[in-house]
Structures are given as structure tokens and as C-alpha cells.
Amino acid sequence: MHELKYKKTDSVQLSDDRTSVVIIDQTLLPNKLEYLTLTKADEMYEAIKQLRVRGAPAIGIFAAYAMAVLSKSIPSGSGFMAELERLGEYLVSSRPTAVNLSWAVSRQLALAKTLSPEAVPEALLDEAVKIHLDDISTCMAIAEYGLSLLHEGDTVLTHCNAGALATSRYGTGLGALLLGAERGIKLKAFVDETRPLLQGARLTAYELKNAGVDVSLICDNMAAYFMSKGMINAVFVGCDRVAANGDTANKIGTLGAAVAAKHFGVPFYVCCPTSTIDINCKSGDDIVIEERDGSEVAELYYAQRMAPEGIICRSPAFDVTPSELITAIITERGILRGPYDLKTI
Ligand code: MRU
């Protein structure tokens, strides 16, 4: 049986009585650190949809625990598997872009199919802990590879949040910075605020500041300016889905940072576990981009509405960075450079 001693900072945890999933409500950070205990499918769906739990690997880990917890409430008759599949589909329908969500649900369903209904809950709980443990070691490996690409004194730009809250412990895109801080290597960070949901301002700035990293928060539209001044040595981001040709979906605004980085000759690194690579997507054109409610652009986080009533607001949550703009993809298996053919990874 796999065992994991949770830390207060783990964004996803299993409750002590193993009947619920406990998450840090990321929508309340950095002002409040509050935990939510989730037992029912509709609460879990809402938590993913509203970004209370967010970040591709964290959503996958959450879904793995959720499937285990939900399987406990299904009567162990002949309809057991059909009901578990229905609940899995329901969770997957909450957000379309991060592949880790469907990856974790499919992995749990495949395991459940090999077992009697009575054996499923404990087996899925054990598998969820294994997925979580694997993500911790994966993030550690990505952090090591990332750090090997940096030099003391470098300044790294990052976009959105790819730290512990979005993954496990070291994070992916933030791994090099967090590991560097732990080892006393002086690195600086510039953090895009990441409109409209402010993951950079609320979460990344919070995580890096807590880790003692020298961090400056900037608006998304300032990144090219700092690159033009030669003040950024590298860009590190996480991602939500990588197509077989290396095209990568990440938080809206990543594409702009990649275009500017190419223009100014700044290396642009994408960090992800191999579970984020979707070999069934041939290219970025096959990646479904979530479109969120326009009110998040006009109203959310403003003291009052900041756009005319009735204006159309568009809110694609992700964009796709073409592989030719990506200097390297950093996974737990190593540093991959283009041209990418990830089908065999
Ligand atoms: O909409 P979010 O906040 O879930 O988007 C998350 C991102 O785009 C992250 O950069 C990505 O998931 C990588 S997390 C390691």
C-alpha cells in the first residue's frame, strides 16, 4: 500500500477518514488559506469548474482521489461500473483543456474494470496516492533539469501558476526557482499577473515570495518591455496539454510571451510531466480550448464593473504555442529539443 504524509501546503489531500478529498480553495488566495472538504460529485465538479482546484497536474491528482471517494457511494451491484463511468465522464466534462483530468479518470476506470466492485474503493484510493507520489518525484526531476539550464543571478519570467498549488511540492514551471531558492542559488523572478484570473499575482507571487525568491510582479503587457531591456534570461511555464508535434496549450497569454521571447532571443522552456503529453493530438489544432464566462474579464477582481454594460467579452482560457517557439520541453525524463516527435515518449 502506498503512503503519503500530506503537508499543509499540498493543494490536494485525502481526508484522515479517507471518505473525502480536501483541497486548498485557490480562489481565496493569497488573502485566506482555507480548506474545503469535498465528498459529493457535484461539489467536486464545481471545485474544478470554478478553479478552487486548478493547474493541470493538480486537477489530475484531484480527479484520481475523487473517483476513489465517489466509488464508495455506489452500490456494488451489476450497475457499479456503469455508474462509475458516468461519474468519471461528469468530472471530465468540467474543463476540457488539461489532459491530466481525463488521463487520471481513464487510469482509475481501467483499474476498476479489473476488480470486483467491493475491491474498487480501496484499490482506487491506493492508486490515487501512487499518482500523487509519482507527481512529487516527477516535479522534483523537472525542477532539477530546469535548474541545470540556469546560472546564478539569472532572471526568469513565468506566466500563470505552475508551482506547488498547481502540482505537487516543487511544481513544474516554478520548479527551478523553488529548488534554486532551497539550495541558496540566487535567482530572480518576474511574474505576469495573468489576466483575467490573476493566477500569477495571487498564486505564483505568493508561492515565490514565501519561498524567499526575489520576485517582481508585472502586468502581462509589460513582459516584452523587460525582455527588450535584456532583463529576462529565460521564460519557464507549465502547460495543460502537449500535442505529439510539441505544440503546447497553456494559460492564455503564454503565446504572446513565447513570440516576444523568440523576437528577443530569450530561451522559452515548457515544463510538464509526461502525463500532460497527449499523443492522440497530432498538433495544437486538435486541442480544445476552454472558453470561460466573459464576466471574468469585465468584473472579477475589480471593485466595480470595468466595462460598459452589454459589451461582448471573450475569454479563451488557454492558447497554443507552436512548437517552433519552444526552446525545450522539460519532463521528468529529460530535456527534449525540437523538432519534437513525442509519439514514442
Ligand atoms: O486555468 P488554470 O489556472 O487551471 O490554468 C493553469 C495553467 O495554465 C498552468 O500554467 C498549467 O496548468 C500548468 S500547471 C503546472
Side-chain angles (χ1 to χ4, degrees), residues 103-122:
W103 170 85
V105 167
S106 304
R107 183 161 153 172
Q108 291 292 49
L109 287 173
L111 174 61
K113 275 184 193 146
T114 65
L115 302 165
S116 69
E118 294 76 13
V120 165
E122 272 313 307

Side-chain angles (χ1 to χ4, degrees), residues 139-157:
C139 287
M140 183 69 193
I142 291 171
E144 286 281 9
Y145 284 122
L147 193 55
S148 74
L149 296 166
L150 293 170
H151 303 99
E152 181 107 27
D154 276 356
T155 299
V156 170
L157 175 81

